[in-house]
Amino acid sequence: MSLLLLLAACLLTCLGQVAQKFAVESWRGQPSGALDKLRSPWLWLALASLGLGLLVWLLVLQRMDVSVAYPMLSLNFVFVTLIAHFVFREHIDHRHWLGVALVVGGVLLLSRQA
């Protein structure tokens, strides 16, 4: 159950980060007023996702040692890299992919302690 909550916290945080990217992309060429930006559904999705992710994270911290749980949040690096590549069509170089592989390996090692 703890690992599922941790995965949910990661995915919600990742969704929030991606929604932030969509929000700022939607602002290009639009009026620059703060009220106009506050009307962005992407911004509200980002805030809701990050807020819910925080609440789930608090549940994770009740069930897991922070020394195990916090490094596992590095899965966000993996998820965001995959989304950047496949959704935003960003180029990811070989060193970056190596970093992703190392993060996945570290998370797998830590998951045995959870």
Side-chain angles (χ1 to χ4, degrees):
M1 182 64 170
S2 298
L3 288 177
L4 288 176
L5 285 171
L6 181 63
L7 183 60
C10 285
L11 291 174
L12 285 165
T13 304
C14 181
L15 175 62
Q17 293 166 357
V18 170
Q20 288 176 64
K21 174 70 171 169
F22 276 117
V24 297
E25 291 292 325
S26 72
W27 295 342
R28 289 180 196 232
Q30 299 296 320
S32 61
L35 289 177
D36 294 317
K37 291 178 178 171
L38 285 174
R39 292 187 186 110
S40 169
W42 289 112
L43 177 63
W44 291 103
L45 177 61
L47 291 171
S49 299
L50 292 169
L52 187 56
L54 171 66
L55 295 176
V56 174
W57 175 245
L58 294 175
L59 292 174
V60 169
L61 291 177
Q62 287 180 330
R63 292 169 172 78
M64 295 179 76
D65 292 339
V66 71
S67 63
V68 175
Y70 189 74
M72 293 180 88
L73 283 180
S74 61
L75 282 174
N76 283 349
F77 173 75
V78 175
F79 297 144
V80 169
T81 298
L82 292 170
I83 291 168
H85 181 69
F86 291 109
V87 175
F88 296 111
R89 303 286 186 217
E90 294 179 9
H91 173 72
I92 311 296
D93 66 24
H94 295 298
R95 289 183 307 159
H96 196 121
W97 286 120
L98 177 60
V100 167
L102 290 171
V103 167
V104 169
V107 167
L108 289 173
L109 287 172
L110 285 173
S111 69
R112 295 174 186 237
Q113 293 181 19

